[in-house]
């Protein structure tokens, strides 16, 4: 992974392959952002005019390359757009810095070192720029010859040096450490999402979780098929019944001796979703290795909490199964007895995520945590409602839903609060079982949330994040987001854990 360092060196004398500067969009043309003073001075104060001549406007994500001035040890200046110039006395927002750093880091694939001379006034800016650079430089190259990036045959940026950061400043150092911990775990989630399903079945995922838990002092428990049968986990077993790769339920427990609160995170981990007997048509199954993105996010968030030493107990539940059609697969019309004791009539085997989550939610509820958050690529309906970049938040507590929304927005993850309309619950009534796994077609994302609510213990605060849209980017990269697995949800969960540890969530 790209190294992240701090440097107080002046831009002209720093040995690097490139110097990254910011340029904003002003009313009368591009405006050179703070941090680039040395570069502007070397251009006799005419850098903005040079950039405008080259076609730069300062628009978000825009890149302009120009030769470094005489006397600079770096051969290249890379100007990256920050978007609109901030209001008077306001600085550049964290997300603007994060996106700019990500765009630059991705463009500098193949470079050994780049100096980032972006606007930097405090530790928060260091964290945003560092996080953006580490996330933007990400490349999944495990299956590429010589570990080269798929876009251009180049290895990711080797080192990002943040100019103006002080390695002996405690706040600056902590900002770098947090950026590294969160970014490395988010990138680990991306790796898992991008791994082909023939190499990442439930057993393999569980083994990866076990290894990480051992490394970071996290207690881990893995329930295999035999244990799931003994425990009565009918939802997880029913979904995994058609696959040659048996299901698993993984419990990861991070504990702090100073914790006053306990959070439970539950992740949907369908390592491949064919739809089962309700088979997905061609054009809808090619990216279904990503259907374990929720479990990847939960896994990454628990490990990040451990690495950061947060003073809150966090338990992660990974509900892992492969949904395949076969002679042993669950059929539409079958009834499953869930871990909670409730029975579910399966009307559509492609509505399987809610079945594995239901068992895991009930298991998490038995420990009486202060709050449960589940994360899942659950419904296409949520993608239709919110698009490909925004996840939906549902909850049984309006204040908690608002807190999650604010946390998501704070870390730069687009999200939107969604309702749980009571009238939609009736559509899941079954003449055969306690509840059906399908209801009304319109509002399908909300119906799924109502189904999950049925399996949350009484009196426990709960929220559901439907990340079906942003979990896997099938388009081109943007900002610090790559093509493929994105790691959506990780930063929101980590921020929630931080706020809970600080006592800011009651």
């Amino acid at each position: 992974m790209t190294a992240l360092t701090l440097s107080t060196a002046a831009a002209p004398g720093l040995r690097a392959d490139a110097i990254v500067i910011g340029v904003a969009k002003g009313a009368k043309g591009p405006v050179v952002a703070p941090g680039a003073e040395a570069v502007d001075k070397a251009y006799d104060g005419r850098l903005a005019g040079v950039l405008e001549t080259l076609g730069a406007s300062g628009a978000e994500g825009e890149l302009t390359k120009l030769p470094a001035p005489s006397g600079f040890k770096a051969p290249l200046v890379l100007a990256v757009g920050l978007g609109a110039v901030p209001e008077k006395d306001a600085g550049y927002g964290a997300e603007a810095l994060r996106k700019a750093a990500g765009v630059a880091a991705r463009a500098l694939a193949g470079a050994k070192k780049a100096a980032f001379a972006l606007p930097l006034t405090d530790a928060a800016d260091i964290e945003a720029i560092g996080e953006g650079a580490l996330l933007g430089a990400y490349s999944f190259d495990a299956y590429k010859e010589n570990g080269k990036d798929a876009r251009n045959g180049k290895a990711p940026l080797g080192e990002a040096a943040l100019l103006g950061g002080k390695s002996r400043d405690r706040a600056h150092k902590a900002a770098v450490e947090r950026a590294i911990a969160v970014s490395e775990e988010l990138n680990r989630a991306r790796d898992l999402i991008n791994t082909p399903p023939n190499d990442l079945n439930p057993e393999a995922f569980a083994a990866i979780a076990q290894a990480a838990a051992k490394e970071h002092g996290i207690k881990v428990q893995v329930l295999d098929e035999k244990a799931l049968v003994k425990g009565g986990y009918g939802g997880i077993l029913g979904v995994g019944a058609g696959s040659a790769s048996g299901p698993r339920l993984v419990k990861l427990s991070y504990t702090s001796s100073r914790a006053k609160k306990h959070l439970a995170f539950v992740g949907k981990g369908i390592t491949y979703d064919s739809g089962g007997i309700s088979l997905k048509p061609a054009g809808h199954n090619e990216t279904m290795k990503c259907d374990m993105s929720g479990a990847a996010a939960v896994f990454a968030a628990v490990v990040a909490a451990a690495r950061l030493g947060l003073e809150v107990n966090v338990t992660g539940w990974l509900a892992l199964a492969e949904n395949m059609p076969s002679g042993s697969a669950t059929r539409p019309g079958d009834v499953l007895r869930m871990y909670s004791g409730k029975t579910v009539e399966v009307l559509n085997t492609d509505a399987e995520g809610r079945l594995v989550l239901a068992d895991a939610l009930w298991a998490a509820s038995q420990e009486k945590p202060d709050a449960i958050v589940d994360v899942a690529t659950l419904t296409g309906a949520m993608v239709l409602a919110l698009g490909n970049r925004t996840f939906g938040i549902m909850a049984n507590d309006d204040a908690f839903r608002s807190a999650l929304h604010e946390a998501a927005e704070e870390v730069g993850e687009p999200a939107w609060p969604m309702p749980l309309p009571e009238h939609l619950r009736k559509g899941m009534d079954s003449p055969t079982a306690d509840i059906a796994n399908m209801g009304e077609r319109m509002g399908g994302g909300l119906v799924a949330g109502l189904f999950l609510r049925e399996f949350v213990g009484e009196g426990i605060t709960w929220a559901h994040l439907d990340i079906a849209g942003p979990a896997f980017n099938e388009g081109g990269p943007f900002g610090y987001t790559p093509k493929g697995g994105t790691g959506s949800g990780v930063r929101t969960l980590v921020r929630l854990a931080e706020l809970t540890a600080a006592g800011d969530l009651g």
Side-chain angles (χ1 to χ4, degrees), residues 12 17 85 104 106 145 157 197-198 215 278 282 315 362 376 378 391 421:
D17 295 294
V85 173
R106 183 168 53 253
E145 187 176 4
L157 173 64
N198 56 317
E215 179 183 356
S278 305
T315 305
W362 189 253
L378 206 62
F391 62 74

Side-chain angles (χ1 to χ4, degrees), residues 331-354:
R331 297 157 289 247
D334 282 355
V335 173
L336 305 176
R337 185 170 296 278
M338 312 297 282
Y339 181 56
S340 69
K342 286 185 179 180
T343 54
V344 176
E345 183 180 10
V346 179
L347 298 180
N348 187 327
T349 65
D350 197 22
E352 84 299 329
R354 63 198 71 181

Side-chain angles (χ1 to χ4, degrees), residues 53 94 103 126 131 160 175 205 215 288 392 422 444:
T53 300
V103 169
I126 288 174
E131 195 174 77
F205 196 148
E215 179 183 356
M288 281 299 102
E422 294 298 336

Side-chain angles (χ1 to χ4, degrees), residues 191-243:
D191 282 347
L192 287 167
I193 297 164
N194 289 326
T195 299
N198 56 317
D199 281 345
L200 190 74
N201 59 27
E203 182 179 3
F205 196 148
I208 291 170
Q210 286 176 305
K214 183 178 180 180
E215 179 183 356
H216 297 289
I218 300 168
K219 185 178 179 181
V220 61
Q221 179 185 10
V222 177
L223 300 185
D224 60 12
E225 283 177 281
K226 185 176 180 181
L228 291 170
V229 170
K230 184 177 180 180
Y233 292 85
I236 297 174
L237 288 165
V239 173
S243 174

